Amino acid sequence: QECIVPRCVLSAVDATYCAKFVEFLHFLQLPFSLIQLLGSILSYAPYWLTCVTVKEAHRIGVFVHMVMHRMMTWRLETQAYEKECGSAVGFRDK
């Protein structure tokens, strides 16, 4: 969160990179909770938007859009969820 958030406001390319980076971390099966990471990042999004410029808000929107698009794919497509998240470390409760 502390590395991703500052970078995603630098440019639209950086916001895209950050979203792809989060996705890449998930696919590497690293021992961290993807749900907690995304939850903390997305829960702070409304607070960011009150203290950033219009261009920075657009960049945050690019990042959030890309992350939410992936999450909606998992939610709506059972096969995609099972394939990409079924045994993923980041989706375990404990």
Side-chain angles (χ1 to χ4, degrees):
Q1 172 185 343
E2 295 172 6
C3 298
I4 295 169
V5 174
R7 181 157 184 182
C8 80
V9 297
L10 296 177
S11 70
V13 172
D14 286 313
T16 301
Y17 174 83
C18 290
K20 292 291 186 182
F21 179 71
V22 169
E23 186 177 321
F24 182 66
L25 290 177
H26 169 70
F27 288 116
L28 285 178
Q29 297 288 318
L30 296 176
F32 78 99
S33 175
L34 181 64
I35 297 296
Q36 286 180 346
L37 174 69
L38 294 177
S40 62
I41 289 173
L42 295 177
S43 68
Y44 285 109
Y47 302 108
W48 304 338
L49 298 176
T50 61
C51 58
V52 296
T53 66
V54 172
K55 288 185 179 187
E56 290 171 334
H58 177 265
R59 296 168 193 148
I60 292 169
V62 168
F63 172 75
V64 171
H65 170 75
M66 291 186 72
V67 169
M68 293 303 291
H69 178 73
R70 173 59 68 181
M71 293 177 75
M72 287 304 295
T73 300
W74 292 335
R75 176 154 176 7
L76 298 174
E77 298 177 20
T78 306
Q79 291 177 338
Y81 178 81
E82 289 299 324
K83 179 182 176 188
E84 299 174 11
C85 306
S87 63
V89 175
F91 280 78
R92 292 185 188 153
D93 290 337
K94 295 180 183 180

